[in-house]
Amino acid sequence: MYALVDCNNFFVSCERAFQPELEGRPVVVLSNNDGCVVARSNESKAMGIKMGTPFFKVKYLVDQGKLVVRSSNYTLYGDLSARVMSLLSEVAPKLEVYSIDEAFMNMDGVPDGDLPGICRDLIVKIRRWTGIPVSIGIAPTKTLGKVANHFAKKYKGYRGVCVIDSYEKMRKALSLTPIGDVWGVGWRGAPKLKAQGVETALDFVSRPSEWVRERMGVTGVRTWSELQGIRMVEEEKEEKRKSICTSRSFASMISDIDELTLRVSDFAGKCAEKLRKDGTAAGTVGIFIHTNRFREDLEQYYPNASIRLDVPANSTPEIVGASLKALRMVYRPGFEYKRAGVIVADIVDAGSIQQTLFGFDSGTRDRDDRISKVMDMVNTSGKNVLRLGTQRGGHYADGIRREFCSGLYTTSWSELIEVR
DNA sequence: TCTGGGGTCCTAGGACCC
DNA sequence: TCTGGGGTCCTAGGACCC
């Protein structure tokens, strides 16, 4: 069986873990730039605030004292996530961390009858040791685990743990699950299915597989099988990422190439760091820039460009250099840019890099690799203390609005000094 | 005034090969 | 005017997830 562990309202719960006075109050956490709502407490959900709502639309509630708001604090969330995951790994024979707030425990080998008890104890322990409330869904497939988890969250009677371990329970659960709530269906898929008379997950599995294949392709059939207890979603192998993206929206619009150069350099430097941390190198470096899609009064332009490297690289000078070359290919003056990003792809293991036939570039490569090594040694705190001349005069997150940020409860003292 | 960020997989269609 | 058949690889874009 799988046990899907999902943290309840994770970002809000992290804020509450260190600010107990927020307990019981309507709370939302905002995205970067304090842009939109990305996490809600049960109380703010009950007020009708939707996921993704732009903050300016609910600001009046904050002004009236009816809603508490926090800027997102990913350092804090990452830290608490690691603590929760480490508690899970003590119990699970195999643990797959699926996202910052979610993990699949593969409980194969543990007697089914023991699972509810183990999970109940785990919930209490996680709450006590980290302050984070979690719910657990137990089922033979991951997709059914998701279904079970929904019930565990929704109905208090389950005390956080819901099990689907029989044909009857499966049918019952599917009949109570709207098709749009099924993992893998999505907001585009649901209306199409409803138009064909499929309202619930049970309606869905009652259709023949060919019917599903025609309308939803092979992924649809996978979901269809999983809902009936047939494992189709594979175990995640511990593989490295195939692409890495660092992108940000700007607090205000930018049209100057020099200013864009600073931002793109920073994003590229961050990508290079992530590559080195993974022990990989990228064969392609791409950038994109975007005008503000919400400003219909302004002309829009959203080009992208990429550079193929002769030899995969992960040094800051090489990645930054390629990104700026790509930027110059597509930059056009006269536009107001709101967002930019760097994507590195065609990722390979750093150890397996083949030199070009004649090795013309090996001189600068060695130098660039040494530069990067030193940068990593100095930049241990995650802040760009040491950086290239083209990189911005600070951390890559400069120019990002964080008006409602709570304290840095779990970050180290040296970081604290730097942030102040 | 103000609207996030980081991933994966699948598919259709074009380019190219014989 | 008429103009094969079959295969692979790559890419962009769509859809989905958190």
Side-chain angles (χ1 to χ4, degrees):
Chain A
M1 300 285 263
Y2 281 114
L4 168 59
V5 184
D6 197 311
C7 300
N8 303 345
N9 314 326
F10 184 54
F11 295 171
V12 169
S13 296
C14 290
E15 296 292 335
R16 281 178 171 167
F18 292 91
Q19 303 160 84
E21 67 276 16
L22 299 183
E23 212 67 54
R25 300 188 60 187
V27 181
V28 294
V29 174
L30 304 177
S31 64
N32 258 334
N33 269 322
D34 295 340
C36 38
V37 172
V38 292
R40 304 161 295 159
S41 67
N42 290 344
E43 298 78 7
S44 52
K45 285 177 189 169
M47 287 167 68
I49 296 172
K50 298 271 182 288
M51 190 73 168
T53 306
F55 175 55
F56 67 85
K57 289 192 179 172
V58 293
K59 185 166 180 299
Y60 73 99
L61 292 170
V62 178
D63 295 339
Q64 292 172 8
K66 293 176 181 160
L67 179 66
V68 179
V69 62
R70 290 287 177 268
S71 302
S72 45
N73 181 348
Y74 290 104
T75 313
L76 174 67
Y77 310 152
D79 223 43
L80 285 176
S81 172
R83 294 182 194 183
V84 171
M85 298 306 171
S86 107
L87 291 176
L88 299 185
S89 66
E90 289 174 7
V91 168
K94 233 160 75 188
L95 183 70
E96 250 180 75
V97 178
Y98 181 71
S99 73
I100 192 164
D101 72 332
E102 210 177 319
F104 290 100
M105 299 197 292
N106 182 332
M107 304 304 277
D108 288 350
V110 180
D112 287 0
D114 295 351
L115 293 177
I118 292 174
C119 289
R120 288 231 163 74
D121 292 347
L122 191 56
I123 288 175
V124 172
K125 184 172 181 181
I126 293 172
R127 184 62 191 255
R128 196 169 290 152
W129 290 25
T130 69
I132 303 295
V134 307
S135 305
I136 304 182
I138 302 171
T141 67
K142 291 182 175 179
T143 309
L144 278 175
K146 284 274 192 181
V147 172
N149 193 284
H150 280 301
F151 285 99
K153 272 212 174 67
K154 198 165 170 188
Y155 301 106
K156 282 251 179 294
Y158 285 114
R159 303 203 331 268
V161 180
C162 172
V163 190
I164 298 179
D165 59 356
S166 70
Y167 182 73
E168 292 70 31
K169 285 186 193 171
M170 192 181 83
R171 303 274 298 183
K172 180 81 192 293
L174 295 185
S175 73
L176 292 171
T177 301
I179 188 63
D181 286 0
V182 172
W183 194 43
V185 172
W187 66 277
R188 271 169 203 274
K192 277 186 218 159
L193 287 167
K194 282 185 188 167
Q196 310 257 4
V198 174
E199 292 286 334
T200 68
L202 186 63
D203 296 337
F204 182 62
V205 299
S206 305
R207 301 295 170 113
S209 72
E210 302 76 42
W211 187 93
V212 175
R213 170 73 238 245
E214 275 170 32
R215 287 162 184 78
M216 303 173 68
V218 295
T219 48
V221 177
R222 269 211 285 271
T223 298
W224 180 86
S225 303
E226 282 256 325
L227 284 172
Q228 298 171 80
I230 303 160
R231 285 190 181 180
M232 300 290 281
V233 178
E234 292 183 20
E235 304 273 318
E236 280 303 313
K237 286 156 274 173
E238 301 254 332
E239 279 180 0
K240 324 231 171 166
R241 291 176 283 188
K242 294 170 181 165
S243 68
I244 293 174
C245 175
T246 305
S247 73
R248 292 288 178 280
S249 295
F250 310 134
S252 50
M253 296 189 283
I254 296 174
S255 49
D256 180 36
I257 179 84
D258 293 331
E259 184 65 22
L260 272 179
T261 298
L262 294 177
R263 307 301 182 116
V264 168
S265 297
D266 255 342
F267 300 155
K270 200 73 196 167
C271 284
E273 268 178 44
K274 292 178 187 173
L275 285 167
R276 296 195 293 269
K277 203 171 164 199
D278 283 3
T280 55
T284 302
V285 178
I287 65 109
F288 62 84
I289 47 180
H290 262 258
T291 47
N292 189 340
R293 64 195 167 105
F294 296 104
R295 289 291 299 271
E296 290 174 4
D297 53 321
L298 298 178
E299 208 186 337
Q300 299 290 311
Y301 181 48
Y302 37 92
N304 63 76
S306 55
I307 303 283
R308 232 181 242 277
L309 304 175
D310 293 335
V311 181
N314 62 18
S315 76
T316 297
E318 276 175 287
I319 303 293
V320 170
S323 74
L324 295 182
K325 197 168 154 193
L327 174 63
R328 286 191 293 268
M329 284 164 62
V330 292
Y331 169 79
R332 279 162 55 189
F335 291 98
E336 302 269 16
Y337 299 98
K338 175 67 175 170
R339 187 171 134 80
V342 173
I343 302 171
V344 296
D346 293 334
I347 290 178
V348 299
D349 249 4
S352 69
I353 294 172
Q354 293 203 339
Q355 288 288 320
T356 47
L357 191 50
F358 301 106
F360 284 136
D361 58 353
S362 58
T364 49
R365 286 191 73 83
D366 287 351
R367 186 202 60 186
D368 290 345
D369 286 343
R370 286 202 304 277
I371 290 173
S372 301
K373 241 174 223 146
V374 173
M375 291 177 77
D376 287 341
M377 280 163 61
V378 176
N379 296 335
T380 48
S381 66
K383 304 273 181 279
N384 294 343
V385 178
L386 188 59
R387 55 194 175 267
L388 299 184
T390 50
Q391 288 179 282
R392 197 178 167 68
H395 189 234
Y396 76 97
D398 274 9
I400 283 176
R401 204 168 22 238
R402 290 175 116 203
E403 201 180 325
F404 314 101
C405 199
S406 54
L408 301 164
Y409 304 106
T410 62
T411 35
S412 70
W413 181 237
S414 63
E415 260 197 299
L416 202 60
I417 292 168
E418 208 179 322
V419 171
R420 297 258 185 255

